[in-house]
Amino acid sequence: MTAVSPIRVLVVDDSAFARKVLRQVLSGADGLEVVGVARDGLDALEKVAELSPDVLTLDLVMPGLDGLGVLRALASGASMPRVVVVSSAGEESELAVAALQAGAVELVHKPTALATERLYELGSELVEKVRTAAGAVARALPEPAAPPAQTPAAPVARAAAKSLVVVGTSTGGPQALTRLLSELPVDFPAPVALALHIPAGYTEAVARRLNAHCALEVLEAVDGLELRPGRVVLARSGQHLKLERHGAVTLARLDRQPLRTQHHPSVDVLFESAARSWGPDAVGLVLTGMGDDGVAGARAIRQAGGTVLTESESSCVVYGMPRAVNEAGLATASAPLEGMLGLLRRHVR
């Protein structure tokens, strides 16, 4: 038998105590090897060149070159290690989302921004996400540009929606959503609802950054918010997003109940509600991500006569969720991200 090589990890943090805790947590996990630590961004780049780690755990707020600067520098190199951002919500949320858009593949939420013993609480999640990152494809994405300015003279006239698009994604999702939504035109005829697996406290920043770089309006879901053409609604992390239709009006409903899923929000829950409310006019889209969340929802959409599209392996950071849907025989069609707009246009009325 051939021994499996351990996942080589470089810990990057400007706090000596945090470096100690992260090193202890990761060194104690099977299959992981901490090959070094770095105290700031410049040190990190030197250690990457010297040690060639598989995965970086990356602090964002550091003196000199910060975490986002590290990501941008790595993206310009010949090869890019997979990056797991270790961040606290709040003031760091915007920076964390920018890092995910710039190529980081996972995000671990610090229980505190301070160097305290509570850092040990992130242990199991950190280990799991380092392992996930090791199997991901690092795909650097240029900083998204703002969309062309729309003439404010008159609002876009919108007919009643004839289709609904629901999207589910996980690892690599912020990159994929940025690429997809930035291509949707201002007159895209269907409302869009998104479920993204991301720690609580970050979806507001995700929605805000997507809104700044897309022609469509992107909002974090609130209970009772109306879905309509020209609007994208992002499920709030920690809660399920369900869709409720009353004639021509479709409303967002938030649900804190755990139901049967470990994910909050759940792609299955969103898709199943779309199948109930929109039937054959529901279009489900499963993008990059780990696991099989979305399979049950895709089945519900197909049973209701709707359409299920998946992202091709060639553009996925992690080909897990789309693979599960494809292997279950539920995908109507598949395309890489660069071809997804054309695919949507063929299936959205």
Side-chain angles (χ1 to χ4, degrees):
M1 294 181 63
T2 303
V4 177
S5 300
I7 299 166
R8 295 164 50 81
V9 185
L10 175 66
V11 173
V12 183
D13 202 295
D14 67 330
S15 162
F17 181 77
R19 293 196 298 272
K20 172 187 172 183
V21 172
L22 298 183
R23 184 167 201 161
Q24 288 178 349
V25 165
L26 294 170
S27 296
D30 291 339
L32 303 185
E33 177 188 2
V34 178
V35 295
V37 296
R39 65 184 182 277
D40 56 38
L42 292 176
D43 191 21
L45 295 179
E46 292 176 359
K47 294 287 176 59
V48 167
E50 175 189 350
L51 301 170
S52 299
D54 301 310
V55 178
L56 266 67
T57 68
L58 184 62
D59 186 22
L60 292 177
V61 180
M62 298 182 290
L65 187 67
D66 65 8
L68 196 55
V70 170
L71 273 167
R72 289 169 175 154
L74 291 173
S76 65
S79 61
M80 181 176 176
R82 278 75 81 196
V83 175
V84 176
V85 168
V86 182
S87 165
S88 59
E91 293 182 359
E92 290 187 29
S93 295
E94 199 84 22
L95 195 58
V97 173
L100 291 170
Q101 290 179 314
V105 297
E106 284 284 12
L107 169 63
V108 175
H109 172 60
K110 281 183 182 178
T112 175
L114 303 176
T116 73
E117 295 291 330
R118 289 194 61 203
L119 287 173
Y120 285 100
E121 296 174 14
L122 57 74
S124 60
E125 181 187 3
L126 179 64
V127 168
E128 176 187 354
K129 290 191 173 180
V130 165
R131 287 174 174 154
T132 298
V137 178
R139 300 189 189 278
L141 180 67
E143 185 74 13
Q150 302 295 327
T151 303
V156 177
R158 300 189 187 280
K162 297 180 180 180
S163 300
L164 168 79
V165 176
V166 285
V167 183
T169 185
S170 180
T171 308
Q175 289 185 70
L177 292 175
T178 300
R179 292 181 64 183
L180 174 68
L181 296 182
S182 64
E183 292 189 0
L184 297 186
V186 69
D187 59 350
F188 188 72
V192 180
L194 314 173
L196 166 67
H197 298 166
I198 196 169
Y202 293 91
T203 43
E204 182 181 2
V206 173
R208 189 164 53 244
R209 285 188 62 85
L210 289 174
N211 185 64
H213 297 290
C214 301
L216 302 179
E217 177 187 40
V218 184
L219 300 172
E220 185 185 37
V222 295
D223 197 65
L225 180 66
E226 182 181 354
L227 278 80
R228 56 178 185 246
R231 174 174 287 174
V232 179
V233 176
L234 174 66
R236 186 184 296 265
S237 54
Q239 301 181 43
H240 295 306
L241 173 60
K242 297 180 179 180
L243 305 180
E244 188 177 276
R245 192 176 185 185
H246 303 277
V249 177
T250 299
L251 302 177
R253 294 300 183 195
L254 302 187
D255 189 345
R256 296 177 182 272
Q257 298 301 314
L259 299 178
R260 64 183 185 279
T261 175
Q262 69 182 55
H263 300 293
H264 302 83
S266 162
V267 178
D268 283 333
V269 170
L270 174 61
F271 279 26
E272 287 168 354
S273 73
R276 287 192 300 270
S277 58
W278 279 79
D281 298 318
V283 178
L285 172 55
V286 182
L287 301 178
T288 176
M290 175 68 72
D292 62 359
D293 187 22
V295 172
R299 183 172 291 110
I301 289 177
R302 291 301 303 272
Q303 288 174 346
T307 300
V308 175
L309 310 176
T310 57
E311 181 182 353
S312 301
E313 184 175 7
S314 61
S315 64
C316 281
V317 171
V318 174
Y319 186 56
M321 289 164 56
R323 181 201 297 273
V325 172
N326 289 337
E327 290 182 348
L330 298 171
T332 306
S334 298
L337 277 176
E338 56 268 25
M340 195 59 71
L341 177 58
L343 197 58
L344 281 170
R345 281 177 166 156
R346 291 198 292 274
H347 292 279
V348 172
R349 296 191 293 154

